[in-house]
Amino acid sequence: MLVQPLRFDPLDYERCSHVGKWDTARVIEIDDPADPRLDDFRDLSTADRRPDRPGGRGLVIAEGVVVVERLLASPYPVRALLGVRRRVEALGELPAPAYVTSPEVMAEVVGFHLNRGVLAAADRAPQPSPEDLARRSTRLAVLEGVGDHENLGSLFRNAAALGIDGVLLGPGCSDPLYRRSVRVSMGHVLRVPFATMPDLAGGLDMLRHNGFRVAALTPRASAVNLQDAGLRGQRVAVMLGSEGHGLTEEAIAAADLAVRIPMASGVDSLNVATAAAIAFYAIA
Amino acid sequence: MLVQPLRFDPLDYERCSHVGKWDTARVIEIDDPADPRLDDFRDLSTADRRPDRPGGRGLVIAEGVVVVERLLASPYPVRALLGVRRRVEALGELPAPAYVTSPEVMAEVVGFHLNRGVLAAADRAPQPSPEDLARRSTRLAVLEGVGDHENLGSLFRNAAALGIDGVLLGPGCSDPLYRRSVRVSMGHVLRVPFATMPDLAGGLDMLRHNGFRVAALTPRASAVNLQDAGLRGQRVAVMLGSEGHGLTEEAIAAADLAVRIPMASGVDSLNVATAAAIAFYAIA
């Protein structure tokens, strides 16, 4: 049900050029929760799972006016919208059919009460390769084992705010297009390009080959203080590990240097997205 | 049911000196959910409300081994603990009776299923005055309108990690000792001293009188870039507003300077706790 052919570049932050006309006549009233046109939004907690998971169709789901607007402005091909009239009307032009219904019908379709009033579903889009992303970037985040969807979403929000050009997802990372990540990122996961990089050591070599210095963020005492590492004004990739265990030894060894945020004694660590924000700020 | 007299100083981060012996014989098995000794944990979602709220008794509730340990190490007078045996035994010495029961009885008492397995309840403790806190601090956070309990908890966690000596709560701030704040702060709200400062303008004058420079954090373009503001090595109070609306005009006008975190265009803002972390890092 891809409704419009798109020319798009997954690295392009701007609204892609939709071929064809935007049409507010795309608003369609639906009263029957069983209407098959609503299938993209049915049982929402499984519809957004990756296609390789049970019940997952890999749809990108945006919730609420702000995030839906970011989806509409993204390169992801929008399939359909579902919402109450007031929320849908707040969106302006529509690239796909917008099904308008009552909050009760919405709740019945999606399987839970949704107080944001509007949803959009899109197809996934091809990712750039890590090499493409590296060539077009000056500041990158490299993640290892960031498995928590909310942390991942927050990290993308911080990356967008603090001028990170892209995110490379190493082993053990979650799917950033999972609904909860999209929501927590305030939709910025739809703007900041990312690429999967399962071979971390090989990927770091590729980054060095493209002129990047790879800085591993770790609380260990032997690491250089972040502000003393001289990372401003360079091509820098900041590498971050999971909140629980941090980066693996192998990842730290494969980096060009280890950097740390000076921390008070007795405090275990910062949240990974918060540590990332500080590092992004420090290299900006 | 304050079981032990305490000598304590609310500004002291270390475990206060409990008068009397710690006693592992304080572990008491209870099978009956109606046992009145469990009243501190009954209907937990109201027991931790401030005394001025319906049903609130103002108890400080810690959940999970890590946070309970921080409560035991804090100046807050512990009244009782409740948990499954394995979790209680992980705590070592106990300053108050520890009621051991089954997960089912725990759930019945607290009113919901609790997967952290151990709780502690404490009385509130007197706060320092804003003046006391200022005199004993070199870096402070001043908050205006930070009403979200999770943001407040995250902010305390970041303050603890990044060397902030105390937090001054201006108008419109939530109660940092509410259970959700305590949990999200990982218990650090029990370590970082705070004081209520309802008169913001008067409080800022007091800070200046004590040698502080007050920096208002705001995204407005006219503000000085945080890294160019020369705030390191000074007595600095960073003032932060609500995530939604930021600081009021009055608050910004009453500060010594306005500072901003350089942000990418098109990104509304950072989460308030994340913005705070960057500012705390920048003044450390």
Side-chain angles (χ1 to χ4, degrees):
Chain A
M1 202 173 78
L2 172 54
V3 292
Q4 289 183 320
L6 294 173
R7 289 180 279 116
F8 88 82
D9 174 347
L11 292 171
D12 185 1
Y13 281 13
E14 301 308 310
R15 186 188 293 270
C16 53
S17 306
H18 289 268
V19 179
K21 274 175 72 182
W22 297 60
D23 192 355
T24 50
R26 291 179 161 216
V27 174
I28 297 156
E29 300 250 12
I30 291 188
D31 294 327
D32 176 10
D35 192 306
R37 290 173 293 179
L38 304 183
D39 282 354
D40 278 357
F41 304 100
R42 202 172 301 287
D43 189 12
L44 199 63
S45 55
T46 58
D48 58 336
R49 283 192 199 143
R50 285 196 318 222
D52 55 338
R53 299 289 169 84
R57 279 176 291 156
L59 296 181
V60 181
I61 306 285
E63 300 163 271
V65 169
V66 170
V67 179
V68 167
E69 282 177 339
R70 293 211 167 107
L71 180 63
L72 299 185
S74 80
Y76 294 90
V78 177
R79 296 161 59 96
L81 297 98
L82 171 64
V84 297
R85 177 166 290 279
R86 190 166 60 92
R87 299 292 183 203
V88 169
E89 283 176 350
L91 295 171
E93 292 181 300
L94 301 169
Y99 304 112
V100 164
T101 191
S102 68
E104 293 71 28
V105 171
M106 268 187 90
E108 192 168 340
V109 172
V110 306
F112 52 86
H113 183 69
L114 203 130
N115 58 11
R116 288 178 183 81
V118 64
L119 294 163
D123 285 307
R124 298 200 169 213
Q127 291 175 19
S129 71
E131 292 79 2
D132 283 345
L133 197 46
R135 275 194 287 271
R136 300 172 67 153
S137 300
T138 57
R139 283 184 293 271
L140 290 170
V142 179
L143 309 184
E144 183 196 39
V146 178
D148 180 276
H149 284 109
E150 297 199 7
N151 283 342
L152 200 57
S154 299
L155 196 147
F156 269 87
R157 180 181 177 191
N158 297 343
L162 296 162
I164 295 296
D165 301 312
V167 177
L168 294 168
L169 302 166
C173 291
S174 290
D175 173 16
L177 294 178
Y178 186 70
R179 183 167 49 93
R180 201 178 326 140
S181 294
V182 174
R183 183 176 67 225
V184 172
S185 83
M186 310 272 283
H188 291 298
V189 74
L190 307 171
R191 285 183 54 164
V192 177
F194 61 86
T196 309
M197 194 170 77
D199 171 15
L200 188 64
L204 298 190
D205 282 341
M206 178 278 294
L207 287 174
R208 267 187 288 272
H209 189 71
N210 281 278
F212 279 85
R213 218 170 149 209
V214 179
L217 193 69
T218 164
R220 63 177 58 177
S222 60
V224 181
N225 265 356
L226 185 56
Q227 66 263 43
D228 302 329
L231 296 175
R232 283 188 196 273
Q234 303 195 13
R235 291 189 106 173
V236 175
V238 178
M239 185 161 54
L240 299 125
S242 76
E243 188 165 344
H245 302 94
L247 289 167
T248 58
E249 288 296 329
E250 296 72 36
I252 295 173
D256 295 306
L257 76 166
V259 295
R260 69 185 175 88
I261 297 167
M263 256 186 279
S265 67
V267 182
D268 28 16
S269 75
L270 292 164
N271 170 281
V272 61
T274 306
I278 291 173
F280 298 161
Y281 167 80
I283 66 169
Chain B
M1 202 173 74
L2 172 53
V3 292
Q4 289 183 320
L6 295 173
R7 289 180 279 115
F8 88 81
D9 173 347
L11 291 172
D12 185 0
Y13 281 12
E14 302 307 309
R15 185 188 293 268
C16 53
S17 305
H18 289 269
V19 179
K21 274 175 70 183
W22 296 61
D23 192 354
T24 49
R26 293 180 157 212
V27 174
I28 298 156
E29 300 249 12
I30 291 188
D31 294 327
D32 176 10
D35 193 306
R37 289 173 293 179
L38 304 184
D39 282 354
D40 278 357
F41 303 101
R42 203 171 300 289
D43 189 11
L44 198 64
S45 55
T46 58
D48 57 337
R49 282 190 201 145
R50 286 198 315 222
D52 54 340
R53 299 290 168 84
R57 279 174 293 155
L59 295 181
V60 181
I61 305 286
E63 300 164 272
V65 169
V66 170
V67 179
V68 167
E69 282 178 339
R70 292 210 168 108
L71 179 62
L72 299 185
S74 81
Y76 294 90
V78 177
R79 297 161 59 95
L81 297 98
L82 171 64
V84 297
R85 178 166 288 279
R86 189 167 60 93
R87 300 291 184 205
V88 169
E89 283 176 350
L91 294 171
E93 292 181 299
L94 301 169
Y99 304 113
V100 164
T101 190
S102 68
E104 293 71 28
V105 170
M106 268 188 90
E108 191 168 341
V109 173
V110 305
F112 51 87
H113 182 69
L114 203 130
N115 58 11
R116 287 178 184 80
V118 65
L119 294 163
D123 285 308
R124 297 201 170 213
Q127 290 175 19
S129 71
E131 292 78 1
D132 283 345
L133 197 46
R135 274 195 287 272
R136 301 174 66 156
S137 301
T138 57
R139 283 184 293 271
L140 291 169
V142 180
L143 309 184
E144 182 196 41
V146 178
D148 180 276
H149 285 108
E150 297 199 10
N151 284 343
L152 199 57
S154 299
L155 196 147
F156 270 86
R157 180 182 176 190
N158 298 342
L162 296 162
I164 295 296
D165 301 313
V167 177
L168 294 168
L169 301 166
C173 291
S174 290
D175 173 16
L177 294 178
Y178 185 71
R179 184 166 49 93
R180 202 180 323 142
S181 294
V182 174
R183 183 176 67 224
V184 172
S185 83
M186 310 272 284
H188 291 298
V189 74
L190 307 171
R191 285 185 53 165
V192 177
F194 61 86
T196 309
M197 194 169 79
D199 171 15
L200 189 64
L204 299 189
D205 282 341
M206 178 279 293
L207 288 174
R208 268 186 288 272
H209 190 73
N210 280 280
F212 279 84
R213 217 169 148 208
V214 178
L217 194 68
T218 164
R220 64 177 57 176
S222 61
V224 182
N225 266 358
L226 185 56
Q227 66 263 44
D228 302 329
L231 296 174
R232 284 189 196 272
Q234 303 194 13
R235 291 189 107 173
V236 174
V238 178
M239 184 161 57
L240 298 126
S242 76
E243 189 166 342
H245 302 95
L247 290 167
T248 58
E249 288 296 330
E250 297 71 35
I252 295 173
D256 295 306
L257 77 165
V259 294
R260 69 185 176 87
I261 296 167
M263 256 185 282
S265 68
V267 182
D268 29 16
S269 75
L270 292 164
N271 169 281
V272 62
T274 306
I278 291 173
F280 299 160
Y281 167 81
I283 66 170

